[in-house]
Amino acid sequence: MASKEADHTRSPAALKVKSFPHKPGVYLMKDEAGRVIYIGKAKDLRNRASSYFLKAAAEDPRTAKLVQEIRDIDYIEAESEVDAVLMEARLIKDIQPKYNRELKDDKTFPYLEIYIREDFPRVVFTREPQERGTKLYGPFTSPRVLRGAIQVLQKIFKFRTCQLDIREDDPRWRHFRPCLLAAINQCTAPCNLRISKEEYRKDIRRLQRFLEGDKEGLLRDLRREMKEAAEALRFEEAARLRDEIEYLEKLDERGKIDVHVQPEVFHVDPRKGLAGLQRVLKLTQPPRTIEGVDIAHLSGSEMVASLVRFIDGLPFKPGYKRYRIQTVEGIDDYAAIREVVHRRFRRLREEDESPPDIFLIDGGKGQLHAALSALEQWDGPRPVFISLAKREEEVFVPGRDEPLRLSRHSFALRLLQYVRDEAHRFAQHYHHILRRKSTLGEEKNP
């Protein structure tokens, strides 16, 4: 066994990867006949490819068989992590390597799906592709990476990811309130008919060209369209094209997938969860945005808070916020909640943003009252404030003495639990960072 390990770690392929660049791209492993047997992506080609030529890879049951067959390895450099992710999916689909082949037919792997027959095509992450009426890209090897790539691409092409059935000939959509993605310029808000069907579909075609690998041709056409728009004095259109070009050109700097990647959701059906919340909270329509708050501390030290944001039942990670509690001495969760709610709604007023539809507090009736007391000076529209107590999973609402007790299997409760647990995870993560800095004597940011 020792000689095999030595051969593996010192093989010509193992020596070859030492010359690979520290850049994103895909690597192609070949057998003794020169056939590609595995394709993988990497944000650092040398580091990732080198990991297959360590002793651990030969002993790991997941890679041992593959490692024994590697005789050569090549790479294709990509301009960014997103480019590498898309390149990997295209190559797997075209080449169907031996050790990637299960991805081709296994529908449990994720795909990016575009509903091209809709007036305003939506772009979704799916594990269950439709039989017809959509354009499918994938399969992708990592659900988390695909979610991150969608987030990055949405900033460029501003497509919708919601489940709304939007029709251009239905004037009722002019009175629909868009979600937060429109406010942060990450969606062109076809739900409010702020963009024509023709212009929106142009963006979708540009997205498809990028997904299919025609980035250079796309940039060339975008520059021509921008020049034509400027010469015709269509300055708003020219500015939008300029921003699109800039983002595509700097994708390697600004398209970091790990920054945008969303948590995985397996146990929650977002649409059923939102419909359930509309019913139990007696709302006039399903909620679009939910924000959740949690407090974290250890014996009163390094008290912090988190705020997470969900849009259409799914986490929207760019909307997450962290707070260091500034006005509270000792252990006082109520006071900490008051401070966070006050700061959050002060920020909403300063930035002229709409509040969420539901604001969820981790805790019971006392925590809920503390949150409400922070809004005495707030004169804008109020979200529905509720709290979720961990022990019995009871839902407290203002003006009601007894809590709501939802079925443990209800989609509404599952969605609230997911928001609450995500807020808790995010708060604990921040708290651990601060404690580590304190322990190591590092300077802490205010």
Side-chain angles (χ1 to χ4, degrees), residues 199-361:
E199 287 301 315
Y200 181 88
R201 293 178 75 88
K202 277 185 183 178
D203 283 333
I204 292 297
R205 287 193 292 271
R206 290 166 184 153
L207 168 66
Q208 290 183 266
R209 288 181 65 180
F210 182 80
L211 292 172
E212 291 160 7
D214 187 23
K215 181 177 177 180
E216 288 306 313
L218 174 60
L219 280 168
R220 187 168 56 249
D221 289 347
L222 286 173
R223 294 187 189 103
R224 174 181 51 77
E225 291 176 28
M226 180 182 69
K227 182 179 178 182
E228 291 173 354
E231 290 174 348
L233 306 184
R234 300 194 306 271
F235 298 121
E236 185 175 340
E237 179 185 348
R240 202 155 82 65
L241 291 167
R242 177 204 61 208
D243 293 343
E244 213 165 292
I245 292 167
E246 181 182 358
Y247 212 138
L248 282 170
E249 289 177 333
K250 296 183 177 179
L251 194 56
D252 59 326
E253 301 171 17
R254 300 164 64 188
K256 303 298 185 184
I257 285 177
D258 290 343
V259 176
H260 302 280
V261 69
Q262 302 283 30
E264 272 293 283
V265 185
F266 294 105
H267 64 295
V268 177
D269 184 314
R271 284 178 290 180
K272 290 181 179 178
L274 296 172
L277 288 174
Q278 178 189 4
R279 185 173 58 256
V280 299
L281 298 175
K282 296 179 171 56
L283 305 177
T284 57
Q285 58 187 11
R288 299 291 306 283
T289 56
I290 303 173
E291 292 186 358
V293 165
D294 188 33
I295 307 295
H297 59 78
L298 181 63
S299 300
S301 67
E302 301 290 7
M303 184 173 278
V304 300
S306 69
L307 181 141
V308 298
R309 179 180 295 160
F310 279 54
I311 296 177
D312 290 331
L314 292 172
F316 178 64
K317 198 167 184 181
Y320 287 19
K321 298 183 185 300
R322 291 166 167 158
Y323 300 87
R324 293 186 68 177
I325 302 303
Q326 300 171 343
T327 63
V328 180
E329 296 291 336
I331 306 174
D332 190 340
D333 281 4
Y334 294 166
I337 288 172
R338 280 194 295 271
E339 177 184 323
V340 171
V341 173
H342 173 75
R343 289 168 63 181
R344 174 60 181 147
F345 279 77
R346 182 182 64 193
R347 183 74 173 269
L348 288 173
R349 179 184 288 116
E350 290 171 351
E351 298 186 356
D352 196 25
E353 284 188 21
S354 298
D357 297 315
I358 295 176
F359 202 93
L360 176 66
I361 307 295

